[in-house]
Structure formats: structure tokens, C-alpha cells
Amino acid sequence: LGSNSKLYLIVKMYDELTIRDDWILKLIYNDADATDDKTNYIILKRGETVKMPVRVIINHYKTQKFYGPILHTFSKDVSNLIYSYVASNGIANGEYLFGDNKLSKFIYQTNKRLGLKVGITQMRIMKITENKEASAKERIELAKMMAHTTDTQRTYINTSN
């Protein structure tokens, strides 16, 4: 599993944007093509000499009615990984970055082959519990980033110990 593998990219993206299994991302190159408010998009752009940071619009997820769309711009490093993954896998405009199914099954099966018992839910719990000593402000920001309430966050922490 190298740096251009699907799993590696998922982990790197997840590290920057910790969301539920909402990684059904339709690849587009223009913001104007993000027309369906029930579709999640990944937007790649190319500047004249450099690749522009990759952005995602998460329109469809469990608590969307409460939080609205999630907008995120990936770091330069993760953006470069995404550009490389798209190019090496021949993913075209309008196609899905990781396919049009949730990733839970892929994560579970891959981790099982590696001898790990970690799925998407457990990855979310680990992300939360890493921050047990976080301040109230940090916990609120983490809860917002993960699109749930601090009460839900407390439930994850209590059940993971």
C-alpha cells in the first residue's frame, strides 16, 4: 500500500477532514458544475503553472440539515496526492473519486487483510479520543468539523474507553 494507493489517500484526506462515510465524491473541474445539492463534490482546478488546492463540497450527510454543506480545502500535500491518484487511475470529470458506494466495506476488508480491526466508525472514535484533553473551544470545533454535537462526541468518548 504505497502513497498512491486508495487506502493511503483516504487516510490522508480523513486526517484533514474527519467526516462520516460521506466520501462518495463526484469529480468536477469547475465550481459551476456543483449543481446538485444531494451530491458530494471534489473540485480539482489547474492553474497556469501550479495545481490549485483541491476542495470538497459535502452536501449529503446525516446532519446536513443542521450544519449545511461542509466546505473544505485540502492542504498542498493532500491536494497533490489527489491529483496523482486521479491521473494514475484515469478518473474523468463527472466520475467518482472512490466509486459511487460508501467506503465502509472497502475500509473493513482492507484493514482485515492487514490484520487491523478498524473501520470508519472506529477511525472517527479514535480521532475524537485523541483529543480527550482538548479545551471546550477545541471540542466544539472538533464536533463542528465532524458534523455532530458535543453530546454525541461525549458518547463516542465514553463508549471507546
Side-chain angles (χ1 to χ4, degrees):
L1 298 174
S3 62
N4 202 34
S5 72
K6 181 178 180 178
L7 182 61
Y8 185 83
L9 181 57
I10 291 167
V11 169
K12 289 298 191 179
M13 290 172 66
Y14 194 84
D15 193 43
E16 287 193 21
L17 180 62
T18 308
I19 57 176
R20 291 177 169 86
D21 190 1
D22 299 306
W23 294 102
I24 302 172
L25 301 169
K26 187 174 190 176
L27 174 68
I28 58 175
Y29 287 98
N30 296 301
D31 292 5
D33 293 335
T35 57
D36 183 0
D37 64 358
K38 291 184 177 26
T39 299
N40 297 335
Y41 295 98
I42 186 159
I43 306 165
L44 281 66
K45 291 191 175 195
R46 296 185 189 271
E48 291 182 19
T49 56
V50 296
K51 296 173 185 166
M52 302 300 289
V54 173
R55 294 184 313 113
V56 289
I57 302 171
I58 308 296
N59 286 314
H60 184 70
Y61 63 101
K62 185 176 179 180
T63 53
Q64 185 276 332
K65 288 182 181 178
F66 184 72
Y67 289 101
I70 297 171
L71 309 174
H72 179 77
T73 301
F74 286 106
S75 68
K76 180 180 177 182
D77 289 342
V78 172
S79 292
N80 286 337
L81 289 171
I82 294 168
Y83 279 105
S84 177
Y85 182 84
V86 166
S88 66
N89 288 283
I91 301 168
N93 188 45
E95 294 181 344
Y96 289 89
L97 183 65
F98 301 122
D100 59 358
N101 292 309
K102 291 189 175 237
L103 295 173
S104 296
K105 186 175 181 180
F106 168 78
I107 297 289
Y108 175 78
Q109 290 173 339
T110 302
N111 285 341
K112 187 175 178 183
R113 281 196 310 269
L114 296 173
L116 303 172
K117 294 181 180 180
V118 179
I120 289 286
T121 302
Q122 290 82 5
M123 287 172 62
R124 293 183 77 230
I125 291 168
M126 287 168 26
K127 185 76 170 184
I128 295 167
T129 58
E130 283 174 3
N131 293 293
K132 280 184 184 178
E133 304 302 320
S135 69
K137 181 179 178 182
E138 290 169 326
R139 287 185 177 278
I140 291 168
E141 288 188 20
L142 179 62
K144 183 177 178 186
M145 177 181 78
M146 296 181 76
H148 64 224
T149 67
T150 53
D151 288 337
T152 301
Q153 187 180 70
R154 193 171 313 123
T155 301
Y156 280 128
I157 292 170
N158 291 339
T159 60
S160 68
N161 291 332

